Short mmCIF file of all heavy atoms in Angstrom, two decimals:
data_model
loop_
_atom_site.label_atom_id
_atom_site.label_comp_id
_atom_site.label_asym_id
_atom_site.label_seq_id
_atom_site.Cartn_x
_atom_site.Cartn_y
_atom_site.Cartn_z
N PHE A 97 -91.97 -65.26 -199.78
CA PHE A 97 -92.17 -63.89 -200.28
C PHE A 97 -91.46 -62.85 -199.41
O PHE A 97 -91.85 -61.69 -199.36
CB PHE A 97 -93.66 -63.53 -200.37
CG PHE A 97 -94.47 -64.46 -201.21
CD1 PHE A 97 -95.82 -64.65 -200.94
CD2 PHE A 97 -93.92 -65.15 -202.26
CE1 PHE A 97 -96.59 -65.51 -201.71
CE2 PHE A 97 -94.67 -66.02 -203.04
CZ PHE A 97 -96.01 -66.21 -202.77
N PHE A 125 -93.28 -58.75 -202.46
CA PHE A 125 -91.93 -59.29 -202.64
C PHE A 125 -90.86 -58.29 -202.21
O PHE A 125 -89.86 -58.64 -201.63
CB PHE A 125 -91.70 -59.67 -204.10
CG PHE A 125 -92.70 -60.63 -204.65
CD1 PHE A 125 -93.35 -60.38 -205.84
CD2 PHE A 125 -93.00 -61.79 -203.97
CE1 PHE A 125 -94.27 -61.26 -206.35
CE2 PHE A 125 -93.92 -62.69 -204.46
CZ PHE A 125 -94.56 -62.42 -205.66
N VAL A 209 -87.91 -64.12 -206.33
CA VAL A 209 -88.94 -64.79 -205.53
C VAL A 209 -88.46 -66.22 -205.28
O VAL A 209 -87.68 -66.78 -206.07
CB VAL A 209 -90.30 -64.80 -206.26
CG1 VAL A 209 -91.39 -65.40 -205.39
CG2 VAL A 209 -90.68 -63.39 -206.69
N GLU A 210 -88.91 -66.84 -204.19
CA GLU A 210 -88.47 -68.20 -203.87
C GLU A 210 -88.83 -69.17 -204.99
O GLU A 210 -89.92 -69.12 -205.57
CB GLU A 210 -89.10 -68.68 -202.56
CG GLU A 210 -88.56 -68.00 -201.31
CD GLU A 210 -89.31 -66.72 -200.98
OE1 GLU A 210 -90.14 -66.30 -201.79
OE2 GLU A 210 -89.05 -66.15 -199.90
N PRO A 212 -90.19 -72.37 -206.72
CA PRO A 212 -91.25 -73.31 -206.34
C PRO A 212 -90.83 -74.78 -206.40
O PRO A 212 -91.61 -75.65 -206.00
CB PRO A 212 -92.36 -73.03 -207.36
CG PRO A 212 -91.65 -72.49 -208.55
CD PRO A 212 -90.46 -71.73 -208.02
N LEU A 219 -86.70 -71.07 -212.73
CA LEU A 219 -87.12 -70.64 -214.06
C LEU A 219 -87.94 -69.36 -213.96
O LEU A 219 -88.83 -69.24 -213.12
CB LEU A 219 -87.98 -71.73 -214.74
CG LEU A 219 -87.28 -73.05 -215.08
CD1 LEU A 219 -88.31 -74.04 -215.63
CD2 LEU A 219 -86.17 -72.82 -216.09
N HIS A 220 -87.62 -68.39 -214.81
CA HIS A 220 -88.44 -67.17 -214.92
C HIS A 220 -88.52 -66.47 -213.56
O HIS A 220 -89.57 -66.29 -212.99
CB HIS A 220 -89.84 -67.54 -215.42
CG HIS A 220 -90.68 -66.38 -215.86
ND1 HIS A 220 -91.67 -65.84 -215.07
CD2 HIS A 220 -90.68 -65.66 -216.99
CE1 HIS A 220 -92.25 -64.84 -215.70
NE2 HIS A 220 -91.67 -64.70 -216.88
N ASP A 221 -87.37 -66.03 -213.05
CA ASP A 221 -87.33 -65.49 -211.68
C ASP A 221 -86.45 -64.24 -211.60
O ASP A 221 -85.81 -63.99 -210.58
CB ASP A 221 -86.81 -66.57 -210.72
CG ASP A 221 -87.16 -66.27 -209.27
OD1 ASP A 221 -87.95 -65.34 -209.03
OD2 ASP A 221 -86.64 -66.96 -208.37
N ARG A 222 -86.44 -63.44 -212.63
CA ARG A 222 -85.63 -62.23 -212.62
C ARG A 222 -86.35 -61.10 -211.89
O ARG A 222 -87.56 -60.98 -211.93
CB ARG A 222 -85.33 -61.79 -214.06
CG ARG A 222 -84.50 -60.50 -214.16
CD ARG A 222 -84.22 -60.15 -215.61
NE ARG A 222 -83.50 -61.24 -216.27
CZ ARG A 222 -83.24 -61.26 -217.57
NH1 ARG A 222 -83.67 -60.28 -218.35
NH2 ARG A 222 -82.58 -62.27 -218.10
N ASN A 252 -89.71 -54.80 -210.18
CA ASN A 252 -90.33 -55.64 -211.21
C ASN A 252 -89.93 -57.08 -210.93
O ASN A 252 -88.74 -57.38 -210.79
CB ASN A 252 -89.85 -55.23 -212.60
CG ASN A 252 -90.37 -53.87 -213.01
OD1 ASN A 252 -91.40 -53.76 -213.64
ND2 ASN A 252 -89.63 -52.82 -212.65
N PHE A 253 -90.92 -57.96 -210.87
CA PHE A 253 -90.67 -59.35 -210.51
C PHE A 253 -91.31 -60.30 -211.51
O PHE A 253 -92.50 -60.16 -211.84
CB PHE A 253 -91.25 -59.65 -209.12
CG PHE A 253 -90.70 -58.81 -208.02
CD1 PHE A 253 -91.26 -57.59 -207.71
CD2 PHE A 253 -89.60 -59.25 -207.29
CE1 PHE A 253 -90.76 -56.81 -206.68
CE2 PHE A 253 -89.09 -58.47 -206.26
CZ PHE A 253 -89.66 -57.25 -205.96
N GLN A 254 -90.51 -61.24 -212.00
CA GLN A 254 -91.08 -62.39 -212.70
C GLN A 254 -91.53 -63.41 -211.65
O GLN A 254 -90.84 -63.62 -210.65
CB GLN A 254 -90.05 -63.02 -213.62
CG GLN A 254 -89.62 -62.15 -214.79
CD GLN A 254 -88.58 -62.83 -215.65
OE1 GLN A 254 -87.82 -63.69 -215.19
NE2 GLN A 254 -88.52 -62.45 -216.92
N ILE A 255 -92.69 -64.03 -211.87
CA ILE A 255 -93.17 -65.08 -210.96
C ILE A 255 -92.57 -66.40 -211.44
O ILE A 255 -92.79 -66.81 -212.58
CB ILE A 255 -94.70 -65.16 -210.95
CG1 ILE A 255 -95.30 -63.77 -210.70
CG2 ILE A 255 -95.15 -66.16 -209.89
CD1 ILE A 255 -94.87 -63.11 -209.43
N PRO A 256 -91.75 -67.07 -210.61
CA PRO A 256 -91.05 -68.27 -211.06
C PRO A 256 -92.01 -69.41 -211.39
O PRO A 256 -93.10 -69.53 -210.82
CB PRO A 256 -90.15 -68.62 -209.87
CG PRO A 256 -90.80 -67.98 -208.70
CD PRO A 256 -91.45 -66.73 -209.21
N ASN A 257 -91.57 -70.25 -212.31
CA ASN A 257 -92.40 -71.36 -212.80
C ASN A 257 -92.01 -72.68 -212.14
O ASN A 257 -90.85 -72.89 -211.78
CB ASN A 257 -92.26 -71.49 -214.32
CG ASN A 257 -92.75 -70.26 -215.04
OD1 ASN A 257 -93.62 -69.55 -214.55
ND2 ASN A 257 -92.18 -69.98 -216.20
N ASN A 258 -92.99 -73.54 -212.02
CA ASN A 258 -92.80 -74.88 -211.48
C ASN A 258 -92.92 -75.87 -212.63
O ASN A 258 -94.03 -76.19 -213.07
CB ASN A 258 -93.85 -75.16 -210.41
CG ASN A 258 -93.54 -76.40 -209.59
OD1 ASN A 258 -92.55 -77.09 -209.83
ND2 ASN A 258 -94.40 -76.71 -208.64
N SER A 277 -95.98 -75.83 -218.12
CA SER A 277 -95.89 -74.93 -216.96
C SER A 277 -94.55 -74.20 -216.88
O SER A 277 -94.44 -73.17 -216.20
CB SER A 277 -96.12 -75.71 -215.66
OG SER A 277 -95.12 -76.69 -215.47
N LEU A 280 -94.84 -70.49 -218.39
CA LEU A 280 -95.79 -69.50 -217.89
C LEU A 280 -95.11 -68.14 -217.78
O LEU A 280 -93.93 -68.05 -217.43
CB LEU A 280 -96.31 -69.92 -216.51
CG LEU A 280 -97.46 -70.93 -216.46
CD1 LEU A 280 -97.62 -71.46 -215.04
CD2 LEU A 280 -98.76 -70.31 -216.93
N ASN A 281 -95.85 -67.08 -218.04
CA ASN A 281 -95.29 -65.74 -218.01
C ASN A 281 -96.16 -64.83 -217.15
O ASN A 281 -96.99 -64.07 -217.64
CB ASN A 281 -95.15 -65.18 -219.43
CG ASN A 281 -94.44 -63.84 -219.45
OD1 ASN A 281 -93.69 -63.51 -218.53
ND2 ASN A 281 -94.67 -63.07 -220.49
N GLU A 282 -95.96 -64.91 -215.84
CA GLU A 282 -96.64 -64.04 -214.89
C GLU A 282 -95.63 -63.04 -214.34
O GLU A 282 -94.49 -63.38 -214.07
CB GLU A 282 -97.23 -64.84 -213.72
CG GLU A 282 -98.25 -65.89 -214.12
CD GLU A 282 -98.66 -66.75 -212.94
OE1 GLU A 282 -97.84 -66.92 -212.02
OE2 GLU A 282 -99.79 -67.27 -212.95
N THR A 283 -96.08 -61.81 -214.14
CA THR A 283 -95.19 -60.76 -213.61
C THR A 283 -95.93 -59.90 -212.60
O THR A 283 -97.17 -59.83 -212.62
CB THR A 283 -94.66 -59.85 -214.74
OG1 THR A 283 -95.76 -59.24 -215.42
CG2 THR A 283 -93.83 -60.65 -215.74
N GLN A 284 -95.18 -59.25 -211.73
CA GLN A 284 -95.76 -58.35 -210.75
C GLN A 284 -94.86 -57.12 -210.61
O GLN A 284 -93.64 -57.22 -210.57
CB GLN A 284 -95.90 -59.04 -209.39
CG GLN A 284 -96.64 -58.21 -208.34
CD GLN A 284 -97.38 -59.08 -207.34
OE1 GLN A 284 -98.25 -59.87 -207.70
NE2 GLN A 284 -97.07 -58.93 -206.07
N ILE A 285 -95.49 -55.94 -210.53
CA ILE A 285 -94.78 -54.67 -210.36
C ILE A 285 -95.25 -54.05 -209.05
O ILE A 285 -96.45 -54.00 -208.78
CB ILE A 285 -95.06 -53.71 -211.53
CG1 ILE A 285 -94.53 -54.32 -212.84
CG2 ILE A 285 -94.40 -52.36 -211.28
CD1 ILE A 285 -94.87 -53.49 -214.06
N GLU A 286 -94.31 -53.57 -208.24
CA GLU A 286 -94.62 -52.93 -206.96
C GLU A 286 -93.83 -51.63 -206.85
O GLU A 286 -92.66 -51.57 -207.23
CB GLU A 286 -94.24 -53.85 -205.79
CG GLU A 286 -94.90 -55.22 -205.84
CD GLU A 286 -94.38 -56.17 -204.76
OE1 GLU A 286 -93.58 -55.74 -203.92
OE2 GLU A 286 -94.77 -57.34 -204.79
N PHE A 317 -100.51 -57.07 -210.98
CA PHE A 317 -100.18 -58.44 -211.37
C PHE A 317 -100.70 -58.69 -212.78
O PHE A 317 -101.87 -58.39 -213.09
CB PHE A 317 -100.81 -59.44 -210.40
CG PHE A 317 -100.67 -60.88 -210.82
CD1 PHE A 317 -99.52 -61.59 -210.52
CD2 PHE A 317 -101.69 -61.54 -211.52
CE1 PHE A 317 -99.38 -62.92 -210.91
CE2 PHE A 317 -101.56 -62.86 -211.91
CZ PHE A 317 -100.40 -63.56 -211.60
N THR A 318 -99.83 -59.23 -213.63
CA THR A 318 -100.21 -59.59 -215.00
C THR A 318 -100.11 -61.10 -215.15
O THR A 318 -99.03 -61.67 -214.95
CB THR A 318 -99.29 -58.90 -216.02
OG1 THR A 318 -99.38 -57.48 -215.84
CG2 THR A 318 -99.70 -59.25 -217.44
N PRO A 319 -101.19 -61.78 -215.49
CA PRO A 319 -101.18 -63.25 -215.59
C PRO A 319 -100.68 -63.71 -216.96
O PRO A 319 -100.46 -62.90 -217.87
CB PRO A 319 -102.65 -63.60 -215.41
CG PRO A 319 -103.36 -62.46 -216.07
CD PRO A 319 -102.53 -61.23 -215.79
N GLN A 532 -102.77 -65.92 -199.46
CA GLN A 532 -102.82 -65.74 -200.91
C GLN A 532 -103.90 -66.66 -201.46
O GLN A 532 -103.82 -67.88 -201.35
CB GLN A 532 -101.47 -66.07 -201.56
CG GLN A 532 -101.50 -65.90 -203.07
CD GLN A 532 -100.42 -66.70 -203.78
OE1 GLN A 532 -99.46 -67.14 -203.17
NE2 GLN A 532 -100.60 -66.92 -205.07
N ALA A 535 -104.26 -66.86 -208.22
CA ALA A 535 -102.95 -66.67 -208.84
C ALA A 535 -102.31 -65.33 -208.52
O ALA A 535 -101.09 -65.27 -208.32
CB ALA A 535 -103.06 -66.86 -210.36
N PRO A 536 -103.03 -64.20 -208.50
CA PRO A 536 -102.35 -62.94 -208.18
C PRO A 536 -101.67 -63.01 -206.81
O PRO A 536 -102.26 -63.45 -205.83
CB PRO A 536 -103.50 -61.92 -208.17
CG PRO A 536 -104.53 -62.50 -209.07
CD PRO A 536 -104.45 -63.99 -208.85
N ILE A 537 -100.40 -62.56 -206.78
CA ILE A 537 -99.65 -62.63 -205.53
C ILE A 537 -99.98 -61.38 -204.72
O ILE A 537 -99.15 -60.49 -204.52
CB ILE A 537 -98.14 -62.75 -205.78
CG1 ILE A 537 -97.86 -63.77 -206.89
CG2 ILE A 537 -97.44 -63.16 -204.49
CD1 ILE A 537 -98.32 -65.18 -206.58
N ALA A 698 -98.59 -71.55 -203.20
CA ALA A 698 -97.71 -72.41 -203.99
C ALA A 698 -96.50 -72.82 -203.16
O ALA A 698 -96.20 -72.21 -202.13
CB ALA A 698 -97.25 -71.67 -205.25
#
Side-chain angles (χ1 to χ4, degrees):
F97 303 151
F125 304 130
V209 184
E210 289 88 353
L219 294 175
H220 192 259
D221 199 10
R222 179 179 301 173
N252 292 268
F253 301 88
Q254 293 179 334
I255 309 302
N257 298 332
N258 193 358
S277 63
L280 278 166
N281 186 23
E282 300 173 332
T283 59
Q284 187 150 301
I285 298 175
E286 303 173 5
F317 173 84
T318 301
Q532 180 202 343
I537 316 298

